[in-house]
């Protein structure tokens, strides 16, 4: 028998991979309604679809540039200037990615050696820790807690800095909690990274979902010296399956990431790049329409949360609702499993995002109104 690599000993199959298979194997008289994954169910802008079709039929085939086509990089630079007031050189400071999740691996391979330490939020996106383990670096978890509005404790960070971490993963607006970081907090993160020579990586895919103040860490003075930012078109433009993201930062850092990326793929599909360019250039009515739909959905999710007697923050942003279990309830996995098997509704347990997520659950807004109303009916019974 061929033994798997030792690096896999500390990495488990992704929770949703296992759970969705479990749900698929369930024998039910009614379909399971999933409020679990943040996979947009809405359509992209019509001009984006039209461009994809036209270029697929008449465009270029074959391998593409590892850096992405110039039009896409220019559109990404325009997007950052228009939406975040961040000046970016499209020829040297932007690297298109096949999804920002790919970028997490590329960045880790580019900057981490075996045994290097990495600051990872708890709770946070599980891929930060799993990729850290895969490259045989060591996670240092920093606490985000309800009582601190899910923001970093800088006293704790100073103590963790004594272990000389090399990278710090930051994610605001925060997944799974929906917390926002003010510019003051982002400034403190930059000062912390500068003081301790830690690369700050802000993962920023949720800025335009139910958020009146989209912010990039790169808009803070001095950020480019110590920060890079990941972003994604998946949530904002409803093209999650197309796998289009970007990493933005100063030229030397981008070039290091490119060394990894250019050895791992052969360039993004040309038609997808052209269609993504269209998406980045849509007018503001697109964002207004998206907000309206997610607002309507969130109102019903709040009603569902009330039926379950769980507590949520109405000021949180993003495409999820994060909620605290009723007093005395701590086992979030048992809580969601009871709802799954009794009512055929799947909700994500908070503990999969880290120990500080225990006792919380997460609802996705990626379900149409009709399904959300059906969830309400099932719970009211």
């Amino acid at each position: 028998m061929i033994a798997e690599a030792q690096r896999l000993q500390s990495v488990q199959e992704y929770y949703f991979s296992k759970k969705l298979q479990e749900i698929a194997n369930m024998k039910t008289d009614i379909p399971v309604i999933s409020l679990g994954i943040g996979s947009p169910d809405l359509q992209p802008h019509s001009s984006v679809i039209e461009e994809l079709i036209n270029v697929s039929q008449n465009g270029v085939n074959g391998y593409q540039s590892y850096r992405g086509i110039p039009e896409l990089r220019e559109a990404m630079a325009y997007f950052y200037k228009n939406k975040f007031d961040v000046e970016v050189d499209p020829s040297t400071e932007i690297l298109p990615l096949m999804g920002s999740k790919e970028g997490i691996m590329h960045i880790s391979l580019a900057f981490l050696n075996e045994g290097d330490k990495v600051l990872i939020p708890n709770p946070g996106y599980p891929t930060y820790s799993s990729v850290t383990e895969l490259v045989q670096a060591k996670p240092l978890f920093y606490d985000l807690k309800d009582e601190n509005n899910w923001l970093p404790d800088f006293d704790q960070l100073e103590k963790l800095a004594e272990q000389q971490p090399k990278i710090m993963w930051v994610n605001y607006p925060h997944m799974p909690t929906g917390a926002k970081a003010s510019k003051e907090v982002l400034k403190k993160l930059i000062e912390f990274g500068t003081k301790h020579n830690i690369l700050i990586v802000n993962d920023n895919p949720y800025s335009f979902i139910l958020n009146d103040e989209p912010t990039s860490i790169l808009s803070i003075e001095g950020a480019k010296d110590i920060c890079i930012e990941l972003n994604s078109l998946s949530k904002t433009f409803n093209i999650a399956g197309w796998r289009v993201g970007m990493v933005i930062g100063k030229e030397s850092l981008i070039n290091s990431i490119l060394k990894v990326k250019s050895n791992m793929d052969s360039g993004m599909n040309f038609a997808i790049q052209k269609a993504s360019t269209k998406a980045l250039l849509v007018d503001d009515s697109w964002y207004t329409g998206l907000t309206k739909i997610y607002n309507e959905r969130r109102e019903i999710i709040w009603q569902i949360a009330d039926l379950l007697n769980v507590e949520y923050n109405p000021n949180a942003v993003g495409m999820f609702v994060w909620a605290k279990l009723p007093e005395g309830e701590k086992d979030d996995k048992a809580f969601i499993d009871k709802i799954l098997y009794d009512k055929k509704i799947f909700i994500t347990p908070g503990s999969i995002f880290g120990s500080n997520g225990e006792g919380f659950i997460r609802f996705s807004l990626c379900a149409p109104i009709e399904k959300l109303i059906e969830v309400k009916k099932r719970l009211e019974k």
Side-chain angles (χ1 to χ4, degrees):
M1 179 177 178
I2 305 298
E4 67 181 21
Q6 287 184 353
R7 69 175 62 90
L8 293 183
Q9 299 305 307
S10 58
V11 178
Q12 302 299 317
E13 184 182 355
Y14 196 45
Y15 171 82
F16 286 115
S17 175
K18 292 189 292 185
K19 198 66 181 179
L20 294 179
Q21 187 58 52
E22 177 188 332
I23 291 169
N25 292 337
M26 286 173 58
K27 295 179 180 178
T28 64
D29 52 346
I30 55 174
V32 173
I33 298 176
S34 176
L35 304 181
I37 296 179
S39 179
D41 61 308
L42 300 168
Q43 285 294 304
H45 192 280
S46 58
S47 66
V48 176
I49 296 293
E50 288 166 9
E51 184 78 353
L52 181 70
I53 293 169
N54 290 337
V55 179
S56 295
Q57 291 175 333
N58 306 303
V60 178
N61 291 312
Y63 298 126
Q64 299 299 309
S65 164
Y66 299 105
R67 291 182 178 270
I69 61 174
E71 302 99 296
L72 177 58
R73 284 185 274 111
E74 287 161 9
M76 288 172 170
Y78 169 81
F79 176 76
Y80 257 72
K81 177 60 180 174
N82 186 40
K83 297 301 179 185
F84 297 123
D85 196 25
V86 172
E87 295 277 359
V88 183
D89 186 334
S91 63
T92 60
E93 296 182 324
I94 296 177
L95 182 62
L97 302 168
M98 293 182 185
S100 58
K101 191 173 186 179
E102 176 195 63
I104 296 170
M105 174 61 84
H106 291 350
I107 291 164
S108 298
L109 286 170
F111 298 109
L112 295 172
N113 295 311
E114 183 177 348
D116 281 343
K117 311 292 197 321
V118 182
L119 287 166
I120 295 171
N122 175 15
Y125 185 32
T127 298
Y128 304 143
S129 53
S130 61
V131 166
T132 297
E133 299 275 8
L134 281 170
V135 301
Q136 297 179 297
K138 295 186 178 180
L140 296 178
F141 293 99
Y142 65 92
D143 289 323
L144 305 178
K145 293 186 176 180
D146 192 12
E147 56 265 33
N148 197 34
N149 298 315
W150 309 103
L151 295 170
D153 177 343
F154 284 91
D155 290 335
Q156 184 201 27
L157 286 178
E158 284 295 331
K159 292 176 182 174
L160 290 170
E162 294 173 5
Q163 299 187 52
Q164 298 182 309
K166 196 169 183 184
I167 288 178
M168 178 178 182
W169 291 101
V170 177
N171 169 221
Y172 289 105
H174 183 244
M175 195 292 298
T177 69
K180 292 171 62 174
S182 66
K183 289 203 169 186
E184 289 73 24
V185 170
L186 296 177
K187 184 180 178 184
K188 288 181 74 173
L189 285 165
I190 292 164
E191 291 170 350
F192 171 74
T194 302
K195 177 182 176 182
H196 297 288
N197 195 33
I198 300 167
L199 177 65
I200 306 294
V201 188
N202 188 44
D203 189 13
N204 193 17
Y206 297 102
S207 275
F208 295 92
I209 309 298
L210 297 175
N211 183 16
D212 294 333
E213 298 177 320
T215 304
S216 164
I217 198 170
L218 298 176
S219 67
I220 310 296
E221 186 177 354
K224 275 190 186 177
D225 293 330
I226 201 68
C227 301
I228 55 178
E229 183 159 279
L230 285 168
N231 216 315
S232 167
L233 277 67
S234 296
K235 319 301 192 212
T236 304
F237 301 107
N238 299 331
I239 57 172
W242 297 21
R243 310 310 302 139
V244 185
M246 67 191 93
V247 58
I248 296 179
K250 68 180 180 180
E251 183 177 4
S252 60
L253 296 172
I254 294 298
N255 285 342
S256 295
I257 299 165
L258 179 61
K259 285 183 186 179
V260 175
K261 177 177 170 56
S262 62
N263 282 288
M264 295 186 72
D265 68 54
S266 297
M268 192 188 307
N269 175 275
F270 181 72
I272 287 177
Q273 291 192 66
K274 294 287 284 186
S276 298
T277 300
K278 283 281 188 184
L280 289 159
L281 301 177
V282 295
D283 62 38
D284 286 346
S285 65
W286 169 259
Y287 303 93
T288 302
L290 202 63
T291 297
K292 182 176 184 294
I293 292 169
Y294 280 125
N295 252 324
E296 291 170 349
R297 292 179 176 190
R298 186 171 62 177
E299 289 287 342
I300 302 177
I301 291 284
W302 285 344
Q303 294 170 27
I304 291 167
D306 290 339
L307 285 170
L308 293 172
N309 195 29
V310 296
E311 182 184 339
Y312 53 88
N313 177 6
N315 297 315
V317 302
M319 59 168 41
F320 305 104
V321 171
W322 180 251
K324 188 175 185 179
L325 296 187
E327 192 69 34
E329 292 266 12
K330 281 292 183 186
D331 191 340
D332 47 284
K333 287 184 177 177
F335 188 89
I336 68 105
D337 275 346
K338 179 170 174 52
I339 296 168
L340 173 60
Y341 283 93
D342 288 355
K343 303 293 185 179
K344 308 304 182 286
I345 301 162
F346 174 51
I347 303 164
T348 302
S351 57
I352 72 164
F353 303 107
S355 60
N356 289 337
E358 290 175 5
F360 292 83
I361 57 176
R362 190 196 73 175
F363 303 88
S364 168
L365 302 182
C366 298
I369 293 287
E370 313 82 68
K371 286 192 175 181
L372 297 179
I373 291 171
E374 173 61 20
V375 167
K376 270 191 69 181
K377 288 178 180 177
R378 292 185 191 182
L379 292 174
E380 286 168 342
K381 289 181 181 178

